Amino acid sequence: MRIDNTLSAVVTGGASGLGRATAEALAAAGAKVAIFDVNEEQGEAVAKAIGGMFCKVDITSEESVVAGFAKARAVHGQERVCVHCAMTHRKGKTVSRNRETGEFTRLSTEDYEYAAQGILVASYRVASLSALGMASLDPLEDGERGTIILTASVAAQDAQIGQVAYGSLKAGVNGLVLPMARDLMDLGIRVNAIMPGIFGTPLLGRLPDKVLDSLNASVPFPKRLGKPEEFASLAMELVRNSYFNGQAIRLDGAIRMAPR
Ligand SMILES: NC(=O)c1ccc[n+]([C@@H]2O[C@H](COP(=O)([O-])OP(=O)(O)OC[C@H]3O[C@@H](n4cnc5c(N)ncnc54)[C@H](O)[C@@H]3O)[C@@H](O)[C@H]2O)c1
């Protein structure tokens, strides 16, 4: 699919990190970009900087996502590209011992459910609502109507201790890709996912130099964290290259996460 000024795109989580870099890359190539995010201040600022629009959207709310797509489509037209980066979750070990009291506790079912909403259910919601809109588009020359990119994680395949919810739900995101690509094949809509390794974004937080050095050293090559622009570059290729479909791709400098 060609990326130019006729293309409308939606990027969730576009106010920060990987989503922001992707929104910037799409806009730099000419696309009309709508950013969906809960962070209004940052979302507005990024949208302004790239000449796009901001929609305050909470991906855990059906009503909010439906309203976001309606707002974006009213201004930019139906999106042909949807990149879903936003997520929210809670973490904890299946069972852990409280250091002070010595008591055993577990990651509660409520916490797991919260993460399921913020990772897996939100991915289905955003992707399926986008596909529903794309279905009514006229196909491009090669029969393609649109393309959807989900964001999983290397934790989908090698989650660490304390990532039972995150890892299993990101594996679920990878699990959406093939059945969705097959469901949408007659409509000419492609679905892929990216599994980032460790990227330098606000998600990681401010790390002490020592921790950062050891994270950098844990990557086989290049010996550093991934750059958000490297994620964006792969997302752009997944849009441009119409033969990519039904695939979840690691982007990780060959890292394989150890248990801890
Ligand atoms: N950074 C990494 O190392 C890394 C590694 C693997 C996977 N990922 C995945 O990449 C994606 C993007 O992460 P990032 O590192 O860019 O994080 P980030 O924190 O920089 O950006 C996430 C954005 O999502 C928004 N957001 C959070 N909850 C939301 C909600 N309920 N509704 C709408 N927007 C919401 C935040 O406001 C923020 O702008 C996530 O799915 C994350 O799991 C990141």
Side-chain angles (χ1 to χ4, degrees), residues 153-172:
S153 166
V154 292
Q157 296 179 337
D158 31 79
Q160 297 190 289
I161 289 170
Q163 289 191 316
V164 62
Y166 188 75
S168 62
L169 294 161
K170 288 292 193 179

Side-chain angles (χ1 to χ4, degrees), residues 12-20 36-39 42 57-60 84-88 114 119 151-155 166 170 194-204 231:
T12 74
S16 174
L18 307 183
R20 176 184 179 154
F36 286 14
D37 207 290
V38 278
N39 188 329
Q42 256 177 245
V57 169
D58 178 354
I59 55 158
T60 64
H84 176 54
C85 293
M87 72 101 202
T88 177
Y114 178 91
I119 296 176
T151 309
S153 166
V154 292
Y166 188 75
K170 288 292 193 179
I194 300 175
M195 286 179 267
I198 312 171
F199 276 67
T201 73
L203 188 74
L204 278 191
F231 175 93

Side-chain angles (χ1 to χ4, degrees), residues 101-234:
T101 62
E103 264 177 68
F104 288 110
T105 52
R106 69 177 185 116
L107 178 75
S108 70
T109 309
E110 288 75 14
D111 284 349
Y112 190 89
E113 257 177 358
Y114 178 91
Q117 284 294 332
I119 296 176
L120 186 53
V121 177
S123 294
Y124 178 75
R125 170 180 295 123
V126 169
S128 60
L129 283 168
S130 186
L132 185 67
M134 289 173 184
S136 59
L137 280 168
D138 287 334
L140 300 169
E141 277 164 23
D142 57 359
E144 190 171 12
R145 283 193 171 77
T147 188
I148 295 164
I149 300 170
L150 300 174
T151 309
S153 166
V154 292
Q157 296 179 337
D158 31 79
Q160 297 190 289
I161 289 170
Q163 289 191 316
V164 62
Y166 188 75
S168 62
L169 294 161
K170 288 292 193 179
V173 172
N174 282 347
L176 282 176
V177 171
L178 186 63
M180 267 202 170
R182 287 178 167 173
D183 277 353
L184 301 173
M185 67 182 202
D186 292 338
L187 293 167
I189 300 170
R190 296 181 293 115
V191 185
N192 293 290
I194 300 175
M195 286 179 267
I198 312 171
F199 276 67
T201 73
L203 188 74
L204 278 191
R206 275 245 175 102
L207 299 173
D209 285 350
K210 229 175 147 187
V211 178
L212 198 58
D213 288 348
S214 102
L215 274 182
N216 286 335
S218 70
V219 188
F221 185 82
K223 287 214 156 296
R224 59 169 174 77
L225 304 189
K227 298 175 188 168
E229 309 87 81
E230 291 168 330
F231 175 93
S233 166
L234 178 55

